[in-house]
Every structure is written in C-alpha cells, then in structure tokens.
Amino acid sequence: MRILVVEDEAGLAESLRLGLSADGHWVEVVHDGHRGLDLALTGGPYDAVLLDLMLPGLGGHEICTRMRAHGDRTPVLMLTAKDGEHDEADGLDAGADDYLTKPFSFVVLAARLRALARRAGTPRVDVLRAGDLVLDPSGRRCRRGEREIELTARELGVLACLMERPGRAVAKQDILDEVWDVPHAIDPNIVEVYVSSLRRKIDAPFGRRSILTVHGTGYRMAPDGG
Ligand code: CA
C-alpha cells in the first residue's frame, strides 16, 4: 500500500516509516499539518493516511475534515495521545475511519491498516520488488533500498517489463511490444540504450547487477535485485 504518515514526533515517525517500509509498503512521512494536508490532497493517491491528532500548523481533525470536504475518501487512521471517548467521537465525526491511541503496538497498527484497506475495497497498488529494488509503475517511482531513483517513463516501462517476469529471459522484441507505441517501426536494439541507462541508475551506483544480458535473446531480471 501507499501510505502517508503525518506525525510530528520524529522518533515515532521514523519507526513508522521503517516498520511500514519493511512490510513492503510505500511510505511518505511529513511532520507538519499544512504539508500533510497538501500531500494528502495532491501527493497521492494513497491507500491510507496515518494522521496524528496534535500537529504543528494544522491538527489531524482539521486535515481529515478538509480531505473529506474535498471529496477525498482515502481511509484515515487517526493517531492520538489522548484516550477519552470524546476524542474518539471527534475523530470519527471529522471523517476518520479508525483511530489508535498512543502508545500502540506496530502489529496492531499493521492489522488496522489492512482492515481499513479491505473495508475501503482499495485496489492493491501493484508494487514490483526484486530484493531491495522497488518499482511502483502506477506511481511512477523507483527506489533501491532507501534511495529514490529518477527514471524516465520509457526506462520505467522497460524495468517494469523485466521485473514482472523475475528470473525469466525477456526478448528485446517483447519489451519493445510492451513499452513502445509503434514497435514495428523501431529497431529492437533501441532497448539496449534504455537498459544501459537503467543499469547506470539502478545498478552501478550501488555496485549491483540486476539486469542480466541473455545473449541472443534479451534480458533477465535477477529476482534478488542483483
Ligand atoms: Ca503530535
């Protein structure tokens, strides 16, 4: 899932980022309310938003209310340090889908998130993974470990084509058919150009070899990311 975390406590925010990333989610963290609202409305689409109640700038209730006012139905899980029934009611009134009182266990948080996504019927965002190489084709983003990598649309298409078939040889012509609009007019060797630039971005800086050449055929993605 793609998850936005709006939490001003740096330590908690960081542990949420690490924990959720390790669970295979794509996580974005911001520490103040205005930036949180801005991202919630324009940075997504997210599958869920974790919203702290007490935030600098703009509080969690206000963010949630404004999201709903904008017609944004993204599931919101409110994090609150208070635990009165009053706060819970406030949060749900503001349009939050669920709430969790701090301190909470990460296991409970993860379970609540899954439940929220199920209830929302959120279509799963297909994120492709090969070891620490992660590609989110619909969000047009790629990262190796913690490092975000900028890819062009074409590079992204070629990489997705390979990552969808880990460990299998993919012919240049098949990549061309899938990624280019008018494949018949193009020399399949153009794929080499894109594979070279991909290797410069996703492999070389990390001392890795994820895109292997299959002589006479095309390429193969190392399932472990190289
Ligand atoms: Ca706070």
Side-chain angles (χ1 to χ4, degrees), residues 149-181:
I149 302 167
E150 292 266 350
L151 297 181
T152 65
R154 205 76 90 182
E155 288 165 350
L156 202 132
V158 172
L159 184 58
C161 199
L162 292 168
M163 287 181 76
E164 281 164 358
R165 303 163 178 83
R168 280 163 49 194
V170 184
K172 285 180 203 166
Q173 185 64 50
D174 291 340
I175 297 174
L176 202 60
D177 289 346
E178 203 163 303
V179 182
W180 273 259
D181 294 334

mmCIF file of all heavy atoms in Angstrom, residues 149-181:
data_model
loop_
_atom_site.group_PDB
_atom_site.id
_atom_site.type_symbol
_atom_site.label_atom_id
_atom_site.label_comp_id
_atom_site.label_asym_id
_atom_site.label_seq_id
_atom_site.Cartn_x
_atom_site.Cartn_y
_atom_site.Cartn_z
ATOM 1 N N ILE A 149 15.127 6.760 -6.985
ATOM 2 C CA ILE A 149 15.822 6.848 -8.269
ATOM 3 C C ILE A 149 14.871 7.447 -9.296
ATOM 4 O O ILE A 149 13.744 6.984 -9.458
ATOM 5 C CB ILE A 149 16.274 5.452 -8.740
ATOM 6 C CG1 ILE A 149 17.198 4.804 -7.701
ATOM 7 C CG2 ILE A 149 16.973 5.554 -10.092
ATOM 8 C CD1 ILE A 149 17.438 3.323 -7.940
ATOM 9 N N GLU A 150 15.356 8.471 -9.982
ATOM 10 C CA GLU A 150 14.538 9.118 -11.022
ATOM 11 C C GLU A 150 14.650 8.328 -12.317
ATOM 12 O O GLU A 150 15.748 8.098 -12.808
ATOM 13 C CB GLU A 150 15.084 10.534 -11.292
ATOM 14 C CG GLU A 150 14.894 11.500 -10.154
ATOM 15 C CD GLU A 150 13.629 12.316 -10.307
ATOM 16 O OE1 GLU A 150 13.011 12.261 -11.401
ATOM 17 O OE2 GLU A 150 13.262 13.000 -9.343
ATOM 18 N N LEU A 151 13.522 7.923 -12.857
ATOM 19 C CA LEU A 151 13.526 7.217 -14.136
ATOM 20 C C LEU A 151 12.620 7.950 -15.116
ATOM 21 O O LEU A 151 11.613 8.538 -14.714
ATOM 22 C CB LEU A 151 13.007 5.787 -13.969
ATOM 23 C CG LEU A 151 13.792 4.829 -13.070
ATOM 24 C CD1 LEU A 151 13.113 3.466 -13.064
ATOM 25 C CD2 LEU A 151 15.234 4.696 -13.538
ATOM 26 N N THR A 152 12.971 7.884 -16.404
ATOM 27 C CA THR A 152 12.069 8.420 -17.418
ATOM 28 C C THR A 152 10.934 7.412 -17.612
ATOM 29 O O THR A 152 11.029 6.265 -17.174
ATOM 30 C CB THR A 152 12.799 8.597 -18.768
ATOM 31 O OG1 THR A 152 13.167 7.299 -19.251
ATOM 32 C CG2 THR A 152 14.050 9.453 -18.611
ATOM 33 N N ALA A 153 9.877 7.848 -18.282
ATOM 34 C CA ALA A 153 8.718 6.970 -18.486
ATOM 35 C C ALA A 153 9.131 5.700 -19.231
ATOM 36 O O ALA A 153 8.689 4.600 -18.907
ATOM 37 C CB ALA A 153 7.635 7.711 -19.254
ATOM 38 N N ARG A 154 10.003 5.844 -20.218
ATOM 39 C CA ARG A 154 10.423 4.703 -21.023
ATOM 40 C C ARG A 154 11.288 3.747 -20.195
ATOM 41 O O ARG A 154 11.126 2.528 -20.268
ATOM 42 C CB ARG A 154 11.193 5.210 -22.243
ATOM 43 C CG ARG A 154 11.160 4.263 -23.397
ATOM 44 C CD ARG A 154 9.829 4.274 -24.133
ATOM 45 N NE ARG A 154 9.787 5.239 -25.207
ATOM 46 C CZ ARG A 154 8.708 5.463 -25.966
ATOM 47 N NH1 ARG A 154 7.598 4.789 -25.738
ATOM 48 N NH2 ARG A 154 8.740 6.350 -26.916
ATOM 49 N N GLU A 155 12.222 4.295 -19.431
ATOM 50 C CA GLU A 155 13.056 3.457 -18.561
ATOM 51 C C GLU A 155 12.181 2.675 -17.587
ATOM 52 O O GLU A 155 12.381 1.481 -17.346
ATOM 53 C CB GLU A 155 14.042 4.325 -17.762
ATOM 54 C CG GLU A 155 15.160 4.911 -18.599
ATOM 55 C CD GLU A 155 15.908 6.038 -17.877
ATOM 56 O OE1 GLU A 155 15.451 6.488 -16.808
ATOM 57 O OE2 GLU A 155 16.931 6.478 -18.411
ATOM 58 N N LEU A 156 11.204 3.387 -17.053
ATOM 59 C CA LEU A 156 10.286 2.766 -16.098
ATOM 60 C C LEU A 156 9.518 1.611 -16.750
ATOM 61 O O LEU A 156 9.351 0.541 -16.159
ATOM 62 C CB LEU A 156 9.325 3.857 -15.628
ATOM 63 C CG LEU A 156 8.632 3.658 -14.308
ATOM 64 C CD1 LEU A 156 8.742 4.926 -13.484
ATOM 65 C CD2 LEU A 156 7.185 3.325 -14.543
ATOM 66 N N GLY A 157 9.105 1.825 -17.982
ATOM 67 C CA GLY A 157 8.381 0.783 -18.707
ATOM 68 C C GLY A 157 9.241 -0.449 -18.933
ATOM 69 O O GLY A 157 8.792 -1.580 -18.743
ATOM 70 N N VAL A 158 10.486 -0.221 -19.338
ATOM 71 C CA VAL A 158 11.399 -1.346 -19.600
ATOM 72 C C VAL A 158 11.661 -2.109 -18.308
ATOM 73 O O VAL A 158 11.616 -3.344 -18.276
ATOM 74 C CB VAL A 158 12.730 -0.834 -20.209
ATOM 75 C CG1 VAL A 158 13.754 -1.968 -20.299
ATOM 76 C CG2 VAL A 158 12.487 -0.230 -21.591
ATOM 77 N N LEU A 159 11.906 -1.366 -17.238
ATOM 78 C CA LEU A 159 12.198 -2.015 -15.955
ATOM 79 C C LEU A 159 10.982 -2.814 -15.461
ATOM 80 O O LEU A 159 11.125 -3.953 -14.994
ATOM 81 C CB LEU A 159 12.612 -0.957 -14.917
ATOM 82 C CG LEU A 159 13.029 -1.495 -13.548
ATOM 83 C CD1 LEU A 159 14.190 -2.469 -13.676
ATOM 84 C CD2 LEU A 159 13.409 -0.342 -12.614
ATOM 85 N N ALA A 160 9.793 -2.234 -15.595
ATOM 86 C CA ALA A 160 8.579 -2.936 -15.158
ATOM 87 C C ALA A 160 8.415 -4.233 -15.939
ATOM 88 O O ALA A 160 8.079 -5.279 -15.386
ATOM 89 C CB ALA A 160 7.358 -2.041 -15.344
ATOM 90 N N CYS A 161 8.683 -4.151 -17.226
ATOM 91 C CA CYS A 161 8.571 -5.306 -18.112
ATOM 92 C C CYS A 161 9.461 -6.455 -17.598
ATOM 93 O O CYS A 161 9.059 -7.618 -17.604
ATOM 94 C CB CYS A 161 9.014 -4.848 -19.493
ATOM 95 S SG CYS A 161 8.477 -5.880 -20.805
ATOM 96 N N LEU A 162 10.668 -6.127 -17.157
ATOM 97 C CA LEU A 162 11.602 -7.142 -16.665
ATOM 98 C C LEU A 162 11.223 -7.610 -15.259
ATOM 99 O O LEU A 162 11.290 -8.792 -14.947
ATOM 100 C CB LEU A 162 13.027 -6.580 -16.652
ATOM 101 C CG LEU A 162 13.622 -6.306 -18.034
ATOM 102 C CD1 LEU A 162 14.908 -5.488 -17.914
ATOM 103 C CD2 LEU A 162 13.887 -7.617 -18.767
ATOM 104 N N MET A 163 10.826 -6.656 -14.411
ATOM 105 C CA MET A 163 10.527 -7.011 -13.020
ATOM 106 C C MET A 163 9.242 -7.826 -12.901
ATOM 107 O O MET A 163 9.041 -8.535 -11.921
ATOM 108 C CB MET A 163 10.450 -5.755 -12.148
ATOM 109 C CG MET A 163 11.828 -5.145 -11.902
ATOM 110 S SD MET A 163 11.766 -3.669 -10.859
ATOM 111 C CE MET A 163 11.510 -4.393 -9.229
ATOM 112 N N GLU A 164 8.360 -7.710 -13.896
ATOM 113 C CA GLU A 164 7.136 -8.514 -13.869
ATOM 114 C C GLU A 164 7.431 -9.984 -14.145
ATOM 115 O O GLU A 164 6.588 -10.844 -13.934
ATOM 116 C CB GLU A 164 6.147 -8.001 -14.932
ATOM 117 C CG GLU A 164 5.394 -6.764 -14.486
ATOM 118 C CD GLU A 164 4.727 -6.035 -15.659
ATOM 119 O OE1 GLU A 164 4.894 -6.472 -16.823
ATOM 120 O OE2 GLU A 164 4.061 -5.017 -15.392
ATOM 121 N N ARG A 165 8.629 -10.258 -14.674
ATOM 122 C CA ARG A 165 8.990 -11.644 -15.022
ATOM 123 C C ARG A 165 10.345 -11.989 -14.389
ATOM 124 O O ARG A 165 11.312 -12.276 -15.093
ATOM 125 C CB ARG A 165 9.108 -11.777 -16.538
ATOM 126 C CG ARG A 165 7.850 -11.373 -17.291
ATOM 127 C CD ARG A 165 8.183 -11.123 -18.761
ATOM 128 N NE ARG A 165 7.023 -10.777 -19.554
ATOM 129 C CZ ARG A 165 6.505 -9.538 -19.644
ATOM 130 N NH1 ARG A 165 7.056 -8.525 -18.973
ATOM 131 N NH2 ARG A 165 5.459 -9.306 -20.391
ATOM 132 N N PRO A 166 10.425 -11.952 -13.070
ATOM 133 C CA PRO A 166 11.734 -12.156 -12.419
ATOM 134 C C PRO A 166 12.353 -13.501 -12.777
ATOM 135 O O PRO A 166 11.657 -14.518 -12.798
ATOM 136 C CB PRO A 166 11.395 -12.095 -10.915
ATOM 137 C CG PRO A 166 9.924 -12.335 -10.840
ATOM 138 C CD PRO A 166 9.339 -11.816 -12.116
ATOM 139 N N GLY A 167 13.630 -13.464 -13.131
ATOM 140 C CA GLY A 167 14.354 -14.704 -13.403
ATOM 141 C C GLY A 167 14.123 -15.263 -14.794
ATOM 142 O O GLY A 167 14.746 -16.248 -15.166
ATOM 143 N N ARG A 168 13.217 -14.643 -15.552
ATOM 144 C CA ARG A 168 12.934 -15.172 -16.891
ATOM 145 C C ARG A 168 13.546 -14.295 -17.973
ATOM 146 O O ARG A 168 13.594 -13.076 -17.848
ATOM 147 C CB ARG A 168 11.432 -15.261 -17.104
ATOM 148 C CG ARG A 168 10.843 -16.506 -16.436
ATOM 149 C CD ARG A 168 9.360 -16.411 -16.286
ATOM 150 N NE ARG A 168 8.679 -16.020 -17.521
ATOM 151 C CZ ARG A 168 7.415 -15.608 -17.563
ATOM 152 N NH1 ARG A 168 6.725 -15.504 -16.454
ATOM 153 N NH2 ARG A 168 6.858 -15.290 -18.710
ATOM 154 N N ALA A 169 14.011 -14.946 -19.032
ATOM 155 C CA ALA A 169 14.571 -14.190 -20.148
ATOM 156 C C ALA A 169 13.438 -13.505 -20.902
ATOM 157 O O ALA A 169 12.428 -14.129 -21.208
ATOM 158 C CB ALA A 169 15.321 -15.132 -21.081
ATOM 159 N N VAL A 170 13.605 -12.209 -21.145
ATOM 160 C CA VAL A 170 12.598 -11.453 -21.877
ATOM 161 C C VAL A 170 13.246 -10.932 -23.160
ATOM 162 O O VAL A 170 14.293 -10.280 -23.111
ATOM 163 C CB VAL A 170 12.068 -10.265 -21.036
ATOM 164 C CG1 VAL A 170 10.943 -9.556 -21.772
ATOM 165 C CG2 VAL A 170 11.588 -10.742 -19.659
ATOM 166 N N ALA A 171 12.638 -11.262 -24.290
ATOM 167 C CA ALA A 171 13.196 -10.854 -25.581
ATOM 168 C C ALA A 171 13.063 -9.342 -25.775
ATOM 169 O O ALA A 171 12.088 -8.739 -25.318
ATOM 170 C CB ALA A 171 12.475 -11.593 -26.703
ATOM 171 N N LYS A 172 14.054 -8.788 -26.475
ATOM 172 C CA LYS A 172 14.005 -7.347 -26.756
ATOM 173 C C LYS A 172 12.710 -6.992 -27.476
ATOM 174 O O LYS A 172 12.096 -5.965 -27.203
ATOM 175 C CB LYS A 172 15.190 -6.950 -27.638
ATOM 176 C CG LYS A 172 16.508 -6.902 -26.897
ATOM 177 C CD LYS A 172 17.613 -6.501 -27.861
ATOM 178 C CE LYS A 172 18.953 -6.969 -27.342
ATOM 179 N NZ LYS A 172 20.003 -6.895 -28.374
ATOM 180 N N GLN A 173 12.313 -7.864 -28.415
ATOM 181 C CA GLN A 173 11.092 -7.576 -29.174
ATOM 182 C C GLN A 173 9.870 -7.525 -28.252
ATOM 183 O O GLN A 173 8.985 -6.693 -28.427
ATOM 184 C CB GLN A 173 10.886 -8.646 -30.259
ATOM 185 C CG GLN A 173 9.693 -8.354 -31.179
ATOM 186 C CD GLN A 173 9.878 -7.072 -31.996
ATOM 187 O OE1 GLN A 173 10.907 -6.872 -32.632
ATOM 188 N NE2 GLN A 173 8.888 -6.177 -31.957
ATOM 189 N N ASP A 174 9.845 -8.389 -27.247
ATOM 190 C CA ASP A 174 8.713 -8.385 -26.308
ATOM 191 C C ASP A 174 8.686 -7.099 -25.487
ATOM 192 O O ASP A 174 7.624 -6.552 -25.188
ATOM 193 C CB ASP A 174 8.788 -9.600 -25.362
ATOM 194 C CG ASP A 174 8.528 -10.906 -26.112
ATOM 195 O OD1 ASP A 174 7.939 -10.851 -27.209
ATOM 196 O OD2 ASP A 174 8.936 -11.974 -25.602
ATOM 197 N N ILE A 175 9.885 -6.642 -25.112
ATOM 198 C CA ILE A 175 9.961 -5.382 -24.360
ATOM 199 C C ILE A 175 9.455 -4.248 -25.247
ATOM 200 O O ILE A 175 8.653 -3.408 -24.821
ATOM 201 C CB ILE A 175 11.418 -5.101 -23.898
ATOM 202 C CG1 ILE A 175 11.868 -6.214 -22.933
ATOM 203 C CG2 ILE A 175 11.519 -3.733 -23.240
ATOM 204 C CD1 ILE A 175 13.330 -6.129 -22.538
ATOM 205 N N LEU A 176 9.905 -4.283 -26.483
ATOM 206 C CA LEU A 176 9.507 -3.248 -27.440
ATOM 207 C C LEU A 176 7.982 -3.239 -27.622
ATOM 208 O O LEU A 176 7.341 -2.186 -27.577
ATOM 209 C CB LEU A 176 10.188 -3.542 -28.782
ATOM 210 C CG LEU A 176 10.355 -2.377 -29.736
ATOM 211 C CD1 LEU A 176 11.192 -1.281 -29.113
ATOM 212 C CD2 LEU A 176 11.018 -2.872 -31.025
ATOM 213 N N ASP A 177 7.416 -4.427 -27.798
ATOM 214 C CA ASP A 177 5.966 -4.534 -27.997
ATOM 215 C C ASP A 177 5.201 -3.953 -26.817
ATOM 216 O O ASP A 177 4.154 -3.344 -26.975
ATOM 217 C CB ASP A 177 5.549 -6.007 -28.153
ATOM 218 C CG ASP A 177 6.012 -6.586 -29.482
ATOM 219 O OD1 ASP A 177 6.412 -5.795 -30.358
ATOM 220 O OD2 ASP A 177 5.995 -7.832 -29.628
ATOM 221 N N GLU A 178 5.758 -4.153 -25.636
ATOM 222 C CA GLU A 178 5.042 -3.744 -24.443
ATOM 223 C C GLU A 178 5.214 -2.263 -24.118
ATOM 224 O O GLU A 178 4.302 -1.609 -23.639
ATOM 225 C CB GLU A 178 5.517 -4.589 -23.255
ATOM 226 C CG GLU A 178 4.506 -4.653 -22.131
ATOM 227 C CD GLU A 178 4.819 -5.794 -21.178
ATOM 228 O OE1 GLU A 178 4.892 -6.958 -21.621
ATOM 229 O OE2 GLU A 178 5.007 -5.500 -19.991
ATOM 230 N N VAL A 179 6.380 -1.733 -24.398
ATOM 231 C CA VAL A 179 6.704 -0.389 -23.914
ATOM 232 C C VAL A 179 6.565 0.709 -24.974
ATOM 233 O O VAL A 179 6.275 1.857 -24.649
ATOM 234 C CB VAL A 179 8.130 -0.370 -23.305
ATOM 235 C CG1 VAL A 179 8.484 0.993 -22.753
ATOM 236 C CG2 VAL A 179 8.251 -1.442 -22.219
ATOM 237 N N TRP A 180 6.782 0.342 -26.238
ATOM 238 C CA TRP A 180 6.706 1.366 -27.279
ATOM 239 C C TRP A 180 5.353 1.324 -27.976
ATOM 240 O O TRP A 180 4.738 0.263 -28.106
ATOM 241 C CB TRP A 180 7.832 1.170 -28.301
ATOM 242 C CG TRP A 180 9.096 1.852 -27.914
ATOM 243 C CD1 TRP A 180 9.564 3.050 -28.392
ATOM 244 C CD2 TRP A 180 10.086 1.392 -26.967
ATOM 245 N NE1 TRP A 180 10.772 3.363 -27.795
ATOM 246 C CE2 TRP A 180 11.112 2.374 -26.924
ATOM 247 C CE3 TRP A 180 10.198 0.272 -26.151
ATOM 248 C CZ2 TRP A 180 12.230 2.248 -26.101
ATOM 249 C CZ3 TRP A 180 11.303 0.153 -25.330
ATOM 250 C CH2 TRP A 180 12.299 1.128 -25.312
ATOM 251 N N ASP A 181 4.871 2.477 -28.402
ATOM 252 C CA ASP A 181 3.557 2.524 -29.035
ATOM 253 C C ASP A 181 3.553 1.925 -30.442
ATOM 254 O O ASP A 181 2.587 1.333 -30.867
ATOM 255 C CB ASP A 181 3.069 3.980 -29.119
ATOM 256 C CG ASP A 181 2.811 4.536 -27.732
ATOM 257 O OD1 ASP A 181 2.525 3.728 -26.839
ATOM 258 O OD2 ASP A 181 2.914 5.762 -27.554
#
